Every structure is written in structure tokens, then in C-alpha cells.
Amino acid sequence: MAIEAAAEHGSQRQKGNGVRARDYRPLTGIADEMVDAEGRIRPVWQKFVSAVEAMSEQELHERFARADRYLRDAGVFYRAYDSSQNSERAWPFSHIPVLIAEKEWEALSAGLVQRANLLEAVVADIYNGNRLVEEGFLPPALIASNPEYLRPLAGITPSGGHYLHFCSFEIGRGPDGNWWVLADRTQAPSGAGFALENRVATTRAFSDIYADTHVHRLASFFGAFRNALQGHKQNADDRIAVLTPGTANETYYEHAYIARYLGIMLLEGEDLAVVDGRVMVRTVAGLKPISVLWRRLDAAYADPLELNHNSHIGTPGITQAMRTGKVTFVNALGSGILETRALLAFMPTICRHLLGEDLMLPSVATWWCGQKSEREHVSRNIDRMVIGPAYSCMPFFDDNGRSVLGSSLRSSAQDSIARWLETDGSKLVGQEVVTLSTTPALVDGKLKPRPMSLRVYAARTKDGWQIMPGGFARIGNDVDATAIAMQQGGSAADVWIVSDKPVEHASLLPKSDTFTRNMPGSLPSRAADNLFWLGRYIERAEGTLRILRAWHSRFAEAADPSQPLLADVTRYLEALDVDLSEEKGVPQSLLRDIDSAVYSASNIRDRFSPDGWLALKDLAKTARRFHERVKPGDDAAHAMTVLLRKLAGFAGLVHENMYRFTGWRFLTIGRYLERGLHMTRLLGHLTRDDVPDGALDMLLEIGDNVMTHRRRYNVSTAHLTVTDLLALDPLNPRSILFQLNEIRTEVEQLPNATVNGQMSPFFREAMRLHSGLAVMVPENMTAEVYGRLEMEMEKLSDILAQTYLR
């Protein structure tokens, strides 16, 4: 029933291998990935088609909803480059997988392995010898004028002898069933992590079909590549890392996901330093060596010293580390030149020259317009060409954001194109317009055929190149075969490589009983900084929420903000940049604190649990909704209670689930320090001699200690009892002394807390602060003492930064 909905026109049926099929022509019937030239359902699709046809439309949509829920709960997103304020978008998932038979995939894989070896040979020649240019196989201009040709890398042979370790290929199939390569990706291929998430989401939708279908797993591919990365380590203590441009990158989620999946570090350029020719990562335990970097930023931005001096995301001197063989880049700096679109025109000849064989998998027909005959050919056949920059690897766009297709131009415009080719031909290429085969996709609640290309990955392992048995399919959002990129509204689908016999159920878990624990002290200083401030922002938000709830509860009764206690607390909040004059129950400053917590967490996605991230995002979403809808008074007080519960849920996840390693300690220290500062300021303000009536009761309410005070003291609320409970009680989790005691305990476990029997400056200051407060009595706790204690706690934060976060 569901597959029948994929037919947009016609109703003629044919018999084919026992499975119903429709007479097919492009975009007039079932997607042609599913049928052969005679209109029969391909054998690889038969089991899937039969299973889906047996489903009702409601069941199919329920299955799709399960997949969507998984992606939403996992927080999978990509970043769109537009003018909108929030550019994070849900991953555009297409629910129906693309199925390819194992035998067909083996032939494709052989062609891609050949291509990977060819690309390695080409880039090695470009940076060492340049014989291809010298012997006329490549035009000099394609290298000398190419912005991706990095001259400081000339003559460098990378550590291990290889430039390429991880590549991806955009491949497409025509309606006739033939495959060709649309583009090579060697700069910093993205999407491998998304391929994994696509697989998980698809199996949520079709778990029964997946279990009954012999689909090759992806884990063995990643396991082999992880082993290859381990093999590039120069010393046992060296580290491996994914080098990301940062959270603003469109695929940052995938960088974090793949680092977490492989169990390696996620670093930015500022995390690294080059010392004596070696790449080192700044950790809370000092500089530690890095010998393998899986580079996910463009090479030119990697080194502001030798490559691009405008780069703010690179590491000065890292080119020299590659030059001396002290670090292995995946892929080597400079390998992005292979993405030059014009190179596709020369690949067949180069393959025969370097490898002595024809290309097994042809490229899309390409002509470099720097040569007269090719330029004239493009000009004569402009109506079936797409014209664009020779050096770019990105899709072609005109000023209006549309693909520049020769067939869409008027005759006068075609004449202009001809003159353009004559003038700037060396900077342009013409490529034959391709018609991509189609695959089923959910469009407006119905299955319809949409154009499709595949992104396939190759990893260099100890046994040579290995092709991922899958990848992901890029699905067009309409019948236009050029509108496939995610930035243009396309979507992504899982790719199943189906065998006719059972396949190995691979896993990244070790098969032996031996294992190695990662060495302590590997927490990068930037990650520690973000964890520390995540703790502070979360606790700052909680402190503000507790004050606001007490304020709005009293305002609901008095309805008079000028009442002495309310006015006094209003002035206190204004000093903290919390503006109650907005006439909103949730002030903007509270949203800023929560957003700052989300930002800090976003910088450590590789170290943050999906449950914790989901809880934090839910808190931010709820707070923003309350900001727009809730008015001061009782409604606001209730809203604060809801937000406090959500905060408590997040704190519980962190406390109960986060491993008690160095990162947890920095997050915890941040929370304790901010809570101590919160209570110190409050006590200093609300225990002064001229405090309005009701201030002490409000203090106990904010500190969540009303019932505790009643049980511990046989007197009514008094200055000394409140001070004793909220400042000096070592068993009260809201007291200042409790916070300092916990900070002292955690500091003692930090790296280099003591060296040769001597305390670090941070440990010494934490001990001094705790000891000084522990000997105090309530009678001596004055406003001056609280003010001095606040300054010393702020100083403690500065000393922590100087000790661990530089």
C-alpha cells in the first residue's frame, strides 16, 4: 500500500520476479533506484518493498516518527549559513534507505579504491617533483594559480609517506544504471558521523526489516580506521585528536559525535601549541604530545604563521611540525588541491599514465576552458553544460543562488557566455548536465521519487584502502537534480549494502580481554574552562531563580513593588543586572545565563552526554517560552518552580551519571564556587542592621532551609541562627562553608595539586579560604566580612584560571 503511493502517474503493472512494479519513466512512477531497465523491482529491493507494501499509511508514519524522535532526542543538527538568528537546524533525514546489492557495491568499491590510489599519486607528484606538469599531463595554471596549492608544503613528504588517509567521493547514477564520480573530497571530508546517525535512525524505523536483511554494518570500517590512527602514534603516550574549526562550523555536531564514537579528543587550534617542533595539547596537567590530527578544518587556516595570516582558528608553527615529521595529518596539509573541479577533465589520461590502467569509475564529463578546443566544445554545446569556476569544488551558483545551466539561458546570454569563456577560460570549466537516478522520499506525507547522489567514504588501513559499506545518500528536495546540497534544502538517507548471505555483526568493542585505560590529565584546558563555566552559569541561573521565585511570591500577595522588602531585593537584583522593570516574569538576564550555559556545553559536545544536552536545551526552550508569556506575580512564581525542577533534573543527570574524572571536578568546582558567591552576597545584603522586615525569612526560603531551621533551632528566625545555618554549617549543602569544603576536596584531586610536597597556589588558596571561615562564629560575620569573602572567592576563580586554564 505504501509503495503504491510512490507512483505519481500511471497505473500499468508488469510482472517482475514475483513483485509488482510500475511502468517507469523518470519522475513518472516508482523511483528508478528500485527498478531495472525493464521496469522490474531490483532483487535487492524486493524484501524491503514487500514489507513496506504490507504496512498501512499510519504504521509507516509511526515508524518515521520513531526515527525523527531519535534524531531529536540525540540533538543531531547541522548549521545553515543564512541570516537567521538561530542557524542550527534539525538534521534533514529522509526515512527510506537506499538499497544497493553487495556485488554491485564490490564493483563500485574497486573503482573507488583505484581512485583513492590515483589521488594519492597525483598529490604526491604535485608537492614532490611536479612531473605531471613538466610532462604536459596537467596545465601549469591549474597548480600555480590554484589557491589550494600551498607553496610552504612543496617538497614535504608527510610522516608515514602518505598524503591521504580519509577521503569521500560524491557519486551518482544515471537512469541507465551507470555510475560516475561527481566530485572528490580530500580537504576535510565531512559526514561520516552523520552516516552513523542515519543508520541508527533508520533502524529505529525499520528494525524488523533491518534485522531480517543482510545489511553490512558500519562499525568494522570505523574500527579499522581507528586502528590505523593508533598505528600512526609515534610514542605510546601520544594523543590522537579530531581538529575542528569550532562550534560555528556547519558540521560541528558530527565532529563531536565522531570523536566521542572513536574515543579520541576533540580539539580546536587554540588548544594546541608547537614546542620544539612537536605539537602539544594544553591540558590541565600541562602540555601533552599529539602525534595524530584528524583535520576537519581547511588546510590554509591551520597555520597563521606560514599559510593564512588572517586565520584565528589555527596553530602557529604546525606546518613546521608536519615538515619535520612530528605529526601525522589526516589528511596532509595541501591535499585540498585534489578537490579542484578542473582536475576531473585530466583524470582519465593521468590514470593511464600513473597507474597504467583506465579509470574503472569515470568522472562526470568535464572540460577545462583554458584550452582552445575544449573551450570551443563547451561554447558549441552550451545548452547541455553547466559553467563555473575551475578551482572551486562547491556547486555552481549565479548571483540569484540558482545553478548556472546553459540550457536556461537566452541566445543573447549564451553569446555573453561565449565571450566570457574566451576572456576568462582558464578560470572556468564546463561540465555536462547530469540526470540523476531517483529514490523514494517522503514528500508532503507521500512517497515520491527524488534525485539522489551518494557520499561514500574511503579510509586507509594497514591492509590498504577500505570503503565504508554504505555512506549516506543526498536526496533532492524537488525534481531538480541540482538541488541536493543540505544548504539548498536537500536531505540525507541511509545506504544499505545488502548481501545474499548473513554478514558479520561488527563492533568497536575489543575482542580480547586486554585493555588500556587512557592516562589521566588529558583534559584540554579549553574543555576544563567550558566545564567550569557551565557549572557557574547553571548555578548562577538557579540562584537567580530562587530569588525571583521568593520575590514574585510576595509580589503576588502585596501587588506593590514599592513594599520595603520587595524594593530592597529589587535594588539587589539590579546590581546583578537582573531587571525587574521589564514587566516579564522571566527577565532577559536569566535567559542570558541559561544561554551561556548552553554555549559552554556546546563547546564540549564530545564530553557531554546526550541526556544532559537534551535536558539543558529543554531548560533553555522552556525559559524562553516563559519569557514571552509569563507575567509578574503568581504565574511567574510558578514558572520559577518549573524551571527549578528542570534545573534539578539536569543537575541530577550530571551528578548521577557523569564519570568522576577531571572534567567533572571542574564542573563541580564551578557550581560550588558560584553557589558560595550567591549565598555570600545574599547574606551580606539581607543580614545588615537596616534590613527590612521579613528579610531573614526570605533568606531561608531562597536557601531552601525553612524546615531545616525549624528543626535545628528552638527559636524564631534570628540573625545569628540564619547566619549559623546559611554561612557556617558544614552539613548544610546551601551554606558557604559547605561549598568551600567541597571545593577543597575536589581541588585536592586535580592534577598537580601538590608538587614535591608543595601545594599549588590554587590548592593553597582554597585551603586558606576554608580554614578562615571554619573558625568563624556567627557573631563575627558582618557585612564587611562577607564583602571580603566575596572578593577572595572571585580571586580563587582567577587563580584557578591561571593554574589550569591558560
Side-chain angles (χ1 to χ4, degrees):
M1 176 182 293
I3 288 296
E4 291 179 18
E8 291 183 317
H9 305 284
S11 59
Q12 180 180 351
R13 295 180 182 272
Q14 297 179 356
K15 294 289 185 180
N17 300 322
V19 178
R20 292 176 297 176
R22 296 187 185 278
D23 181 39
Y24 176 73
R25 294 295 181 268
L27 297 176
T28 61
I30 295 177
D32 50 7
E33 277 298 314
M34 298 171 59
V35 298
D36 60 20
E38 287 73 36
R40 295 188 296 266
I41 297 290
R42 298 179 191 271
V44 70
W45 280 91
Q46 289 178 8
K47 183 180 293 187
F48 185 88
V49 167
S50 297
V52 174
E53 275 197 324
M55 299 175 191
S56 67
E57 188 172 338
Q58 180 180 353
E59 180 186 357
L60 194 61
H61 283 275
E62 287 174 352
R63 288 171 175 264
F64 291 169
R66 286 202 298 269
D68 293 338
R69 184 168 57 248
Y70 164 75
L71 293 171
R72 185 172 59 252
D73 290 348
V76 183
F77 74 91
Y78 81 108
R79 194 176 299 279
Y81 295 132
D82 57 26
S83 58
S84 65
Q85 195 169 25
N86 183 7
S87 59
E88 285 187 11
R89 296 185 180 176
W91 180 242
F93 181 60
S94 186
H95 304 82
I96 302 295
V98 175
L99 277 61
I100 300 176
E102 181 182 53
K103 289 185 178 179
E104 182 178 12
W105 189 257
E106 288 174 351
L108 274 174
S109 296
L112 294 176
V113 167
Q114 180 204 51
R115 195 172 188 91
N117 285 322
L118 175 60
L119 292 174
E120 174 70 36
V122 170
V123 71
D125 176 84
I126 288 173
Y127 285 102
N128 286 278
N130 235 341
R131 297 293 299 276
L132 291 173
V133 171
E134 181 181 339
E135 296 173 8
F137 292 96
L138 276 178
L142 280 187
I143 307 302
S145 301
N146 198 317
E148 288 300 331
Y149 178 65
L150 305 181
R151 285 174 174 77
L153 278 302
I156 296 179
T157 300
S159 175
H162 296 296
Y163 286 82
L164 303 179
H165 304 270
F166 195 86
C167 307
S168 71
F169 307 92
E170 305 288 345
I171 64 175
R173 176 169 26 200
D176 59 0
N178 293 322
W179 291 91
W180 6 261
V181 175
L182 303 173
D184 303 303
R185 297 284 183 252
T186 57
Q187 175 71 273
S190 64
F194 288 129
L196 283 167
E197 289 285 38
N198 284 344
R199 174 60 53 88
V200 176
T202 305
T203 54
R204 294 293 176 93
F206 300 110
S207 56
D208 49 347
I209 304 176
Y210 183 79
D212 197 36
T213 306
H214 305 315
V215 181
H216 282 271
R217 272 50 174 180
L218 304 181
S220 59
F221 172 83
F222 288 98
F225 184 54
R226 184 176 66 179
N227 292 339
L229 294 178
Q230 293 284 349
H232 288 295
K233 290 172 60 174
Q234 299 180 3
N235 300 288
D237 294 343
D238 287 355
R239 279 122 180 111
I240 303 171
V242 173
L243 181 59
T244 176
T247 57
N249 186 263
E250 63 174 335
T251 57
Y252 173 76
Y253 169 85
E254 189 242 340
H255 304 170
Y257 178 88
I258 206 73
R260 186 167 60 237
Y261 182 75
L262 296 180
I264 58 181
M265 306 174 80
L266 180 68
L267 302 177
E268 297 182 21
E270 66 180 270
D271 295 324
L272 302 175
V274 178
V275 180
D276 296 330
R278 293 211 65 186
V279 180
M280 312 292 281
V281 55
R282 296 182 174 93
T283 77
V284 295
L287 295 173
K288 302 294 180 181
I290 290 271
S291 60
V292 184
L293 285 172
W294 186 355
R295 177 175 60 83
R296 301 303 298 272
L297 78 166
D298 289 356
Y301 293 95
D303 188 345
L305 186 64
E306 292 198 58
L307 301 178
N308 184 344
H309 69 276
N310 292 317
S311 172
H312 296 284
I313 57 176
T315 306
I318 209 167
T319 303
Q320 178 61 21
M322 177 179 161
R323 185 178 288 121
T324 57
K326 298 295 180 63
V327 64
T328 296
F329 276 104
V330 178
N331 291 322
L333 301 177
S335 57
I337 195 171
L338 294 171
E339 295 189 359
T340 301
R341 183 180 283 107
L343 287 180
L344 296 177
F346 304 92
M347 283 300 185
T349 304
I350 292 175
C351 185
R352 287 190 290 271
H353 173 67
L354 293 180
L355 304 185
E357 53 195 32
D358 290 330
L359 272 177
M360 298 169 63
L361 197 59
S363 307
V364 61
T366 305
W367 293 267
W368 179 55
C369 297
Q371 297 166 304
K372 182 178 180 181
S373 60
E374 283 77 3
R375 184 167 59 248
E376 290 176 348
H377 173 82
V378 171
S379 185
R380 286 194 306 269
N381 298 277
I382 193 68
D383 58 334
R384 58 187 182 92
M385 293 285 174
V386 56
I387 311 297
Y391 302 122
S392 173
C393 65
M394 301 301 291
F396 298 153
F397 301 108
D398 65 10
D399 293 338
N400 296 317
R402 298 184 300 267
S403 299
V404 180
L405 298 173
S407 59
S408 66
L409 300 175
R410 297 177 180 176
S411 300
S412 58
Q414 291 182 1
D415 293 339
S416 298
I417 290 290
R419 290 193 297 272
W420 182 32
L421 292 176
E422 188 69 31
T423 304
D424 296 320
S426 63
K427 301 177 183 178
L428 301 171
V429 294
Q431 286 187 309
E432 194 170 62
V433 176
V434 297
T435 300
L436 294 171
S437 65
T438 58
T439 193
L442 186 69
V443 180
D444 298 328
K446 294 183 179 180
L447 292 178
K448 297 182 180 180
R450 287 294 179 260
M452 177 262 328
S453 69
L454 298 187
R455 177 168 290 191
V456 186
Y457 298 89
R460 186 186 295 279
T461 71
K462 63 182 181 64
D463 299 319
W465 288 102
Q466 183 170 328
I467 306 300
M468 180 193 293
F472 71 80
R474 296 155 67 94
I475 312 296
N477 64 339
D478 57 27
V479 297
D480 181 7
T482 66
I484 288 181
M486 303 303 172
Q487 298 288 344
Q488 297 170 260
S491 56
D494 191 17
V495 178
W496 291 7
I497 308 305
V498 181
S499 175
D500 54 7
K501 56 186 181 296
V503 298
E504 179 185 3
H505 287 200
S507 170
L508 284 187
L509 296 175
K511 296 181 180 179
S512 66
D513 293 332
T514 61
F515 63 91
T516 302
R517 282 181 174 168
N518 287 334
M519 295 187 64
S522 294
L523 179 69
S525 297
R526 182 182 55 83
D529 188 29
N530 280 290
L531 285 163
F532 174 70
W533 278 101
L534 171 60
R536 290 200 64 173
Y537 283 126
I538 283 296
E539 197 61 41
R540 187 175 297 176
E542 181 179 340
T544 302
L545 280 170
R546 290 186 176 279
I547 298 173
L548 289 172
R549 183 172 65 172
W551 191 95
H552 283 289
S553 296
R554 285 156 178 77
F555 177 73
E557 298 172 0
D560 181 10
S562 64
Q563 191 261 349
L565 180 57
L566 293 181
D568 186 77
V569 175
T570 298
R571 288 192 294 273
Y572 172 81
L573 289 171
E574 287 174 349
L576 299 178
D577 199 28
V578 180
D579 186 4
L580 293 181
S581 66
E582 299 175 2
E583 296 186 359
K584 290 182 178 289
V586 178
Q588 189 67 42
S589 58
L590 179 61
L591 298 184
R592 287 198 299 268
D593 287 339
I594 295 175
D595 287 345
S596 295
V598 172
Y599 176 76
S600 294
S602 72
N603 282 284
I604 46 172
R605 286 295 299 274
D606 59 314
R607 300 174 180 271
F608 213 67
S609 76
D611 286 340
W613 176 254
L614 187 64
L616 197 54
K617 291 288 283 186
D618 180 55
L619 171 68
K621 181 180 178 180
T622 305
R624 198 161 297 281
R625 186 174 72 249
F626 285 166
H627 174 72
E628 297 298 331
R629 300 178 183 177
V630 172
K631 299 299 182 182
D634 190 63
D635 286 347
H638 174 71
M640 300 304 147
T641 300
V642 172
L643 292 175
L644 280 170
R645 285 202 300 264
K646 289 182 178 289
L647 261 177
F650 170 78
L653 281 170
V654 170
H655 188 270
E656 295 297 329
N657 298 337
M658 194 170 177
Y659 189 78
R660 270 29 175 196
F661 202 40
T662 309
W664 180 85
R665 301 191 189 285
F666 278 95
L667 186 148
T668 301
I669 289 171
R671 290 197 65 196
Y672 287 137
L673 183 60
E674 190 64 37
R675 182 177 291 186
L677 281 166
H678 163 72
M679 190 53 68
T680 300
R681 294 190 191 104
L682 264 179
L683 284 166
H685 185 79
L686 293 181
T687 60
R688 66 189 194 277
D689 293 337
D690 60 342
V691 68
D693 290 339
L696 296 180
D697 292 319
M698 190 181 216
L699 257 176
L700 290 176
E701 182 181 331
I702 293 170
D704 199 16
N705 272 215
V706 174
M707 295 189 66
T708 303
H709 184 274
R710 291 173 185 170
R711 287 197 304 266
R712 281 186 58 82
Y713 305 99
N714 294 322
V715 295
S716 59
T717 306
H719 178 284
L720 292 182
T721 59
V722 171
T723 301
D724 182 59
L725 182 60
L726 294 180
L728 303 177
D729 192 330
L731 302 180
N732 180 10
R734 293 283 165 184
S735 76
I736 304 172
L737 184 59
F738 183 93
Q739 316 313 315
L740 293 179
N741 184 59
E742 293 300 310
I743 290 173
R744 183 195 62 176
T745 301
E746 298 305 332
V747 169
E748 195 171 3
Q749 303 301 316
L750 291 180
N752 302 324
T754 58
V755 178
N756 298 326
Q758 295 290 320
M759 295 180 183
S760 70
F762 182 52
F763 191 11
R764 186 180 301 112
E765 184 64 15
M767 286 286 290
R768 188 189 68 79
L769 266 180
H770 174 264
S771 301
L773 189 62
V775 299
M776 294 290 286
V777 294
E779 292 81 357
N780 294 336
M781 297 300 294
T782 63
E784 290 75 16
V785 171
Y786 288 122
R788 185 168 62 251
L789 183 59
E790 180 185 347
M791 288 189 295
E792 290 174 339
M793 292 173 77
E794 292 286 12
K795 179 183 175 184
L796 185 64
S797 178
D798 295 337
I799 296 175
L800 179 143
Q802 294 168 8
T803 305
Y804 293 107
L805 308 182
R806 290 184 300 176

